Amino acid sequence: MINNHYHHLAFGPAAIERQRANGSYVAYGTHLERPDDGPDQLGSRELRMIADATQFYLGTVTPTGWPYLQYRSGPAGFVRHLGGNTVRFIDLPGNNQFVTLGNLTADDRLAMFFVDYPRKQRLKVFGRGSVREGERREIDVTVEAFDWNCSRSIIPRYDQQYLTDLGKAYQDKAAAKEAELTAEIERLHARIDQLEQRGGRQRPSARTDS
């Protein structure tokens, strides 16, 4: 059974009415017909997506109720899993407006939106954030709920590292195939030699005319 915590957090009465009108209520709204299951638990698929991410979008709530969106990026693994349902990322210095930090001080709710462009996958995460001050500022996120989005409208994009890894994978595959074919040729030659020896004939060796 699908955990329905995300549905309870995201779907209000107006969304439910539109689902009923458009025929998608059975797929989504019916999950609200039972009590809230409580927080989702991060699984291997979610953790792999987060660990591989080199970017994500971060949403917080302003004191006036408006959504505030920022972009975060770094090398793969810059969002780290701390165990359980907690992840952490470094909050690099920006333009010093401190809107995200201010928002989290007043309201710890946030959203993280991860996109894997080459594989056309995207993951929405709801969580509660806390700021860790120290030699480097970091934000801890306790995940409340998540949802995997439809990949239909994602336009694939490929960075240099992905293309490098893809090229290496093809080279490794080609090298393995070449080794396999070489071994098969050698096996066939050995088999031919065996058959010719049984027939009392030997296969002529290759020679070069002078």
Side-chain angles (χ1 to χ4, degrees):
M1 182 181 296
I2 297 176
N3 188 296
N4 68 0
H5 191 48
Y6 172 86
H7 306 80
H8 275 275
L9 295 181
F11 300 159
I16 293 298
E17 286 306 312
R18 284 187 175 271
Q19 290 174 16
R20 291 185 188 278
N22 287 275
S24 60
Y25 177 80
V26 173
Y28 303 113
T30 52
H31 293 290
L32 273 66
E33 294 177 0
R34 69 178 195 274
D36 194 329
D37 293 330
D40 284 307
Q41 299 301 309
L42 292 172
S44 58
R45 184 186 181 196
E46 292 77 35
L47 292 175
R48 184 168 56 252
M49 178 74 159
I50 292 171
D52 290 344
T54 57
Q55 58 184 327
F56 71 91
Y57 299 94
L58 175 66
T60 54
V61 184
T62 68
T64 54
W66 287 88
Y68 182 75
L69 194 63
Q70 283 198 318
Y71 175 82
R72 290 290 190 272
S73 64
F78 85 104
V79 183
R80 313 190 307 280
H81 180 222
L82 301 184
N85 257 26
T86 303
V87 298
R88 175 184 295 171
F89 63 90
I90 299 173
D91 186 50
L92 297 174
N95 55 16
N96 291 329
Q97 290 184 350
F98 301 112
V99 177
T100 293
L101 299 183
N103 290 344
L104 291 176
T105 299
D107 187 334
D108 64 356
R109 291 176 299 171
L110 56 74
M112 305 169 77
F113 192 82
F114 296 89
V115 184
D116 183 336
Y117 289 101
R119 298 176 181 84
K120 298 182 64 176
Q121 297 178 344
R122 51 185 175 176
L123 174 67
K124 291 186 298 188
V125 175
F126 286 162
R128 295 186 178 274
S130 59
V131 181
R132 296 172 53 87
E133 302 286 359
E135 293 183 4
R136 58 182 186 181
R137 187 169 57 237
E138 298 176 304
I139 296 178
D140 286 359
V141 179
T142 301
V143 175
E144 282 275 334
F146 56 79
D147 183 57
W148 288 89
N149 272 69
C150 172
S151 63
R152 180 175 53 196
S153 60
I154 299 177
I155 299 174
R157 297 176 182 176
Y158 307 96
D159 59 22
Q160 185 60 51
Q161 185 60 51
Y162 179 86
L163 294 175
T164 299
D165 293 343
L166 187 63
K168 184 177 184 305
Y170 278 118
Q171 290 173 357
D172 291 345
K173 185 177 181 180
K177 187 63 176 179
E178 181 180 4
E180 179 184 338
L181 292 174
T182 299
E184 178 65 11
I185 291 171
E186 291 176 352
R187 187 188 68 79
L188 291 174
H189 281 169
R191 181 58 177 163
I192 291 171
D193 288 340
Q194 290 177 355
L195 293 175
E196 290 180 341
Q197 289 173 6
R198 288 177 184 176
R201 297 181 297 119
Q202 292 186 345
R203 181 160 54 92
S205 60
R207 62 186 180 85
T208 303
D209 294 331
S210 59

